[in-house]
Amino acid sequence: MVAVRSLWRLPALLLAAGLAAASMVPTAARADGVPRPDIPKAVKGKQCVLPTEDMRKNHMKYLLHHRDLTMHEGIRTKKFDLRECLDCHVPKEPKGQEVHVTSKKHFCQACHAYAGVKIDCFQCHSDQPSEQSPHFHTLSGRPIGHPGHKTVGTKLSAGELEAMAVGGGVK
Amino acid sequence: MSEDQNNNTDLARRRFMGGLAAAAAGTAVAPGIVLVATAEAKPAGQAVTSKVRWGMLIDTTKCADGCDACVRACNEENGLTQHDDPLRDAQWIRKVEVKNPDTGYSHSFPVMCQHCAEPPCADVCPTGASFKRADGIVLVDKHICIGCRYCMMACPYKARSFVHEPLHDQKSYMPRGMGTVESCTFCVHRVDNGETTACVEACDRDGHKALVFGDLKDPNSEIAQRLAAYGGTQIRKDLGLNPGVHYKGI
Amino acid sequence: MNHNDYTEIEGRSPGYIALLALLGVLILLGLAAAHYMETEGHHVTGMTNQIVWGTPHVFAVFLIVAASGALNVASIASVFGRSQYKPLSRLSGLLAVTLLVGGLAVLVLDLGRPDRLIVAMTTYNFKSIFAWNIFLYTGFMAVVAVYLWMMMERRMNTYSKPVGLFAFVWRLTLTTGTGSIFGFLVAREAYDSAIMAPMFIIMSFSFGLAIFLLLLMGLYRGTGRPLGDKILMRLKNLLGVFVAAVLYFVAVFHLTNLYITQHHGVERFILLDGGMYTQLFWGVQVFLGGIVPLFLLYHPKLGRLRSSIALASILVIVGGLAQVYVIIIGGQAYPLDLFPGMVVSSSFYDGVVNSYTPSLPEITLGVGGVALSIAMVLIGVKVLRFLPRSLADAEVDPHHTAASETASGEAAAAAGA
């Protein structure tokens, strides 16, 4: 009897000592003492397209899935457009002062450096907000995702068709 | 007849002629309105289908010697910075001067990725990064491109370029990176938005109008109409690859 | 020859250590070159948008082709039942694996995105011969490993014949796949031919055996183990046959092309006015790599000299490298024919012969791969029992020796009687 009771004395002593020690350690940013990454706040919008916790956990899944849809099937949506992500999360700075993904101040790199995961995206993709954020325009001036009602030079009007039929070219 | 009656008849005749003219004009114009009003862009969020096949018609008789508007437009649109190293600089479109040694006739015209229906580049790619989209545009999925350059060996048109140096400041709509292979995309970012390619736009803007881009499967499109009316051929037609780029005058 | 007749080499001589150290340095340099190419981009190499495959690919294809040919000696023993070659089977298997590893290392490190090797090994387009080759190459290493196990584990010896046959068929498929990388390309006039696959197979016989012969002579000389003439003569005669066969295939390939008017341009380029490529073809590939070795190997006196055999092997290897260089780089140097019959020019080097100069990073990477292969062989023979203790005539062919002993014994008895 006495032997069993004394067997538990040592672990109990150690536990008490550990708790005392932990409570004496000065805490860092948060109460539990675990350092957190310094993630820059988004520059616009109140809410991401999906809940934050969902994004934090699954953004790679969404990125990979939608990049394949866009690449192979041409499905382009505003919700899962990488440019829209960057437009919200990366501030537009004057030339020469851009925050690139090489710096921990970049939204993506802040967390990725902390997690120790190398980012492959920005070898090819621009890591800056799009050229004419908030809306991207092509050379023609029309924003992506907002198709125009008039197309450029791909269809002929009846008059042009008639002119062709007569034997002239289209001028 | 009394004058009033004559006047009435005249008036009626005029009205009738006016009505006829209006009807004729309306008939002439209405199809145009209907044609033009139909948006060509597919709605965002929908997959492309093989109901459409994108193609280009290049009228070499209208292509001006020494003009490289299409090349400059492509370079600017896609952010192809040139480093004064023609051996390694990306060239998605190039002007080619072709001379017949027997007759002496020579002319120049642009050559780019021909967007074949049976692309040899897609056949040889080990990972499937080089592929043909359902609407006929041949692309490189740079996410899975390993940079082996086998597609460059396989392309009969030497359409592809390899990125030999680290890149910065890419256009947001045209990602491109070191170690991957790239080529003309028919400005897929524009096409998916219902617009035409940068080279066609530049050629039209400069007044030459030698390039026409459109849906080969739509009998009402300009390109289909022109091909039906004037014909056209393809480079190395004998290879049986059925390119989407047609040429008139070669 | 039983199991105990194979022993590890001692591997403690200064020469051995020094050689291994040198190879180690070359391997490190090769890795450094690969790292440089990966971080700076391929603009530091001689490869361009016109010549997309350069010196690394020449080395890689040569090593891979030689790897499948190196297994030949083991196949002759297991598949074709020539027991005199049996002692050499283990070394043959080892060399096959190490040459393949060296070749693959060079190939993978030259990729534009070598960090995407995982993608290459998990995402496949099975219409591509490259995709099949990934399976064929890695599978070959596994098959040969099993084959070696069958040969080296006494209890599994009964299975070495069927596994040997499987390995033989596998390596023929592998070499066909390697040749088809080029043979399937309709775009390039220098390739686009069904003969590429069988020609690569016969090239593999020749290059693989030359490397095997050289390595065998070097290892036995270096370790002081006896290497009898019997086995050496058989091997060198076989090499001669393979060299002649390669010359035949090359001749048929070019003669056929000369008949096809469409291909006259590329034939003229390779055979006549291609400058360096013509010199490499006639001077190195055909003459140094074909005719001179044939002379050396079949000459009644020279053919029996070890130095001559070694020289012939070296020349076959040099000629082989030149052959692969002419195929890969010469084939790209000749311009694509977009407009047959026309004179073409552009800003993208249409219509002109493309120039290429091997750059230092490329050569370093290629040499690093060769060093890796040799180093792996040297370490392998020290760690495991690959090398027979002796390849003296008596060991190799006891029946023949016994017969001649009996004959001389009878003659002595008859003389004595």
Side-chain angles (χ1 to χ4, degrees):
Chain A
M1 277 301 210
V2 174
V4 174
R5 235 182 282 142
S6 65
L7 209 60
W8 287 105
R9 240 185 258 165
L10 186 57
L13 197 62
L14 285 172
L15 186 63
L19 282 172
S23 65
M24 287 200 304
V25 167
T27 55
R30 305 293 169 90
D32 57 8
V34 177
R36 295 286 207 275
D38 189 12
I39 307 177
K41 272 188 88 65
V43 294
K44 67 182 226 281
K46 289 196 172 43
Q47 172 69 29
C48 188
V49 296
L50 285 170
T52 308
E53 276 314 308
D54 186 14
M55 264 307 196
R56 275 195 188 146
K57 200 166 153 196
N58 298 319
H59 66 281
M60 264 331 284
K61 233 175 34 184
Y62 295 124
L63 281 169
L64 290 175
H65 180 56
H66 287 279
R67 81 159 193 212
D68 288 340
L69 287 181
T70 303
M71 194 76 229
H72 290 264
E73 297 178 53
I75 298 175
R76 297 174 195 263
T77 58
K78 200 159 142 60
K79 185 174 176 185
F80 291 105
D81 188 332
L82 187 68
R83 287 178 304 237
E84 297 285 330
C85 308
L86 293 167
D87 281 355
C88 278
H89 285 288
V90 179
K92 197 161 177 71
E93 306 282 1
K95 199 153 174 67
Q97 291 174 34
E98 296 113 343
V99 177
H100 283 287
V101 79
T102 39
S103 138
K104 275 212 270 253
K105 295 208 180 68
H106 192 275
F107 172 76
C108 310
Q109 187 63 350
C111 211
H112 271 257
Y114 173 81
V117 178
K118 189 169 168 193
I119 309 180
D120 190 30
C121 320
F122 300 110
Q123 277 214 37
C124 290
H125 284 276
S126 165
D127 56 9
Q128 297 299 301
S130 50
E131 284 79 8
Q132 280 170 275
S133 173
H135 281 297
F136 163 66
H137 296 263
T138 60
L139 280 179
S140 63
R142 204 166 306 113
I144 287 280
H146 303 176
H149 296 295
K150 195 173 191 305
T151 57
V152 183
T154 51
K155 287 215 191 286
L156 296 172
S157 67
E160 289 170 322
L161 275 172
E162 211 178 270
M164 265 180 65
V166 166
V170 176
K171 284 285 175 258
Chain B
M1 277 193 200
S2 67
E3 211 177 282
D4 279 327
Q5 269 179 323
N6 276 342
N7 283 343
N8 282 343
T9 317
D10 281 347
L11 205 58
R13 206 182 311 142
R14 274 184 211 136
R15 280 208 198 104
F16 179 62
M17 292 304 288
L20 265 183
T27 319
V29 173
I33 292 175
V34 168
L35 278 174
V36 169
T38 308
E40 192 155 295
K42 64 168 177 68
Q46 265 197 28
V48 295
T49 65
S50 54
K51 290 202 194 80
V52 168
R53 188 189 170 188
W54 296 112
M56 191 176 284
L57 172 60
I58 298 176
D59 189 342
T60 64
T61 58
K62 294 209 183 107
C63 188
D65 270 347
C67 170
D68 64 349
C70 51
V71 177
R72 280 182 286 113
C74 177
N75 287 352
E76 219 225 283
E77 171 77 11
N78 296 301
L80 309 181
T81 28
Q82 306 287 294
H83 297 279
D84 235 349
D85 182 1
L87 284 170
R88 295 177 186 84
D89 281 339
Q91 290 207 28
W92 293 15
I93 182 173
R94 64 204 190 256
K95 285 292 291 287
V96 169
E97 289 83 42
V98 176
K99 179 171 160 197
N100 188 331
D102 299 324
T103 63
Y105 174 63
S106 90
H107 58 321
S108 75
F109 47 87
V111 173
M112 71 295 279
C113 168
Q114 303 286 288
H115 296 276
C116 310
E118 309 277 344
C121 61
D123 284 346
V124 301
C125 177
T127 58
S130 178
F131 70 102
K132 187 183 73 162
R133 228 167 62 153
D135 58 357
I137 301 185
V138 176
L139 295 168
V140 178
D141 183 349
K142 292 176 202 160
H143 307 106
I144 51 179
C145 174
I146 57 174
C148 72
R149 290 103 75 198
Y150 196 16
C151 60
M152 294 175 74
M153 289 289 272
C155 177
Y157 306 103
K158 209 165 65 156
R160 292 219 156 152
S161 300
F162 181 63
V163 182
H164 290 82
E165 75 282 359
L167 297 179
H168 311 282
D169 297 326
Q170 294 94 324
K171 300 278 186 204
S172 70
Y173 51 85
M174 183 46 70
R176 42 190 299 262
M178 174 173 82
T180 56
V181 175
E182 52 182 19
S183 63
C184 158
T185 60
F186 263 172
C187 280
V188 66
H189 56 285
R190 284 170 156 244
V191 169
D192 283 354
N193 206 35
E195 300 162 14
T196 191
T197 66
C199 50
V200 169
E201 199 175 79
C203 191
D204 283 352
R205 194 172 49 226
D206 279 19
H208 304 290
K209 293 198 194 298
L211 308 179
V212 179
F213 177 79
D215 179 6
L216 291 168
K217 284 193 177 171
D218 178 2
N220 293 325
S221 68
E222 181 183 353
I223 187 173
Q225 299 272 0
R226 276 210 217 234
L227 281 171
Y230 300 112
T233 186
Q234 297 146 318
I235 306 179
R236 292 306 304 272
K237 203 180 168 75
D238 63 302
L239 292 175
L241 306 172
N242 190 4
V245 179
H246 298 256
Y247 288 82
K248 179 163 165 265
I250 61 165
Chain C
M1 192 165 259
N2 66 37
H3 183 69
N4 287 323
D5 292 326
Y6 298 90
T7 54
E8 302 93 331
I9 67 168
E10 207 192 314
R12 269 185 281 175
S13 69
Y16 179 81
I17 305 287
L19 185 56
L20 219 51
L22 171 66
L23 292 171
V25 166
L26 288 174
I27 294 170
L28 282 173
L29 284 175
L31 285 171
H35 180 76
Y36 181 52
M37 278 161 54
E38 189 184 345
T39 46
E40 287 292 314
H42 274 62
H43 76 93
V44 301
T45 70
M47 295 182 269
T48 63
N49 280 330
Q50 333 304 327
I51 307 272
V52 303
W53 283 354
T55 309
H57 299 84
V58 171
F59 274 99
V61 169
F62 178 80
L63 285 170
I64 292 170
V65 163
S68 82
L71 196 63
N72 231 7
V73 176
S75 301
I76 297 176
S78 295
V79 177
F80 297 104
R82 295 263 188 273
S83 53
Q84 299 92 342
Y85 291 88
K86 206 158 166 2
L88 305 169
S89 302
R90 299 187 188 188
L91 181 63
S92 165
L94 174 67
L95 191 60
V97 171
T98 57
L99 285 174
L100 189 68
V101 168
L104 284 179
V106 174
L107 199 63
V108 165
L109 288 173
D110 165 80
L111 288 175
R113 295 296 302 258
D115 53 310
R116 289 200 177 149
L117 188 59
I118 293 290
V119 174
M121 294 180 73
T122 50
T123 325
Y124 292 103
N125 164 31
F126 281 113
K127 200 166 174 193
S128 162
I129 192 70
F130 251 27
W132 283 109
N133 280 349
I134 294 175
F135 281 110
L136 286 170
Y137 295 158
T138 48
F140 182 71
M141 289 194 276
V143 169
V144 175
V146 171
Y147 187 29
L148 280 170
W149 172 37
M150 299 294 127
M151 288 192 281
M152 291 168 84
E153 166 74 61
R154 205 165 16 97
R155 290 169 291 179
M156 307 299 270
N157 276 349
T158 40
Y159 302 116
S160 56
K161 206 171 158 76
V163 177
L165 179 63
F166 187 66
F168 182 66
V169 173
W170 192 286
R171 71 140 194 95
L172 285 180
T173 317
L174 184 154
T175 325
T176 306
T178 310
S180 298
I181 292 174
F182 304 98
F184 284 178
L185 291 181
V186 69
R188 309 256 168 187
E189 284 185 48
Y191 308 147
D192 186 22
S193 171
I195 203 178
M196 293 304 269
M199 190 165 77
F200 267 59
I201 287 182
I202 208 71
M203 280 158 65
S204 79
F205 287 2
S206 172
F207 307 160
L209 186 55
I211 295 177
F212 182 82
L213 203 50
L214 212 54
L215 214 67
L216 188 71
M217 291 167 69
L219 280 169
Y220 274 75
R221 198 187 163 89
T223 54
R225 298 186 183 195
L227 177 62
D229 263 0
K230 269 207 182 63
I231 194 78
L232 205 56
M233 292 304 122
R234 276 182 192 274
L235 287 171
K236 71 106 177 155
N237 282 335
L238 195 58
L239 181 62
V241 170
F242 292 156
V243 170
V246 171
L247 282 176
Y248 164 73
F249 266 83
V250 170
V252 168
F253 178 54
H254 287 285
L255 276 173
T256 310
N257 266 350
L258 283 171
Y259 238 89
I260 302 169
T261 316
Q262 190 184 29
H263 286 177
H264 278 183
V266 71
E267 284 300 311
R268 208 189 157 79
F269 175 70
I270 299 284
L271 301 178
L272 207 58
D273 55 18
M276 179 177 63
Y277 303 103
T278 308
Q279 287 163 8
L280 278 174
F281 177 79
W282 288 115
V284 187
Q285 176 184 337
V286 174
F287 183 68
L288 283 181
I291 299 179
V292 173
L294 278 177
F295 174 74
L296 288 173
L297 292 170
Y298 285 129
H299 191 274
K301 285 219 185 63
L302 291 173
R304 304 200 71 85
L305 289 177
R306 304 238 163 164
S307 50
S308 163
I309 297 173
L311 178 62
S313 300
I314 293 173
L315 287 176
V316 169
I317 293 170
V318 169
L321 276 167
Q323 180 165 13
V324 178
Y325 191 94
V326 169
I327 290 175
I328 295 184
I329 298 179
Q332 296 174 78
Y334 188 71
L336 291 167
D337 201 10
L338 263 68
F339 306 101
M342 302 288 165
V343 172
V344 182
S345 68
S346 79
S347 56
F348 205 42
Y349 298 90
D350 286 282
V352 295
V353 169
N354 300 303
S355 56
Y356 168 78
T357 323
S359 65
L360 191 59
E362 297 172 73
I363 300 173
T364 314
L365 178 60
V367 169
V370 175
L372 178 64
S373 298
I374 302 176
M376 284 175 74
V377 173
L378 288 179
I379 294 172
V381 296
K382 177 173 167 153
V383 167
L384 288 172
R385 298 181 181 219
F386 285 105
L387 275 189
R389 210 180 10 89
S390 160
L391 282 175
D393 290 346
E395 300 282 341
V396 166
D397 201 356
H399 300 291
H400 192 84
T401 320
S404 56
E405 267 180 29
T406 318
S408 51
E410 276 173 10

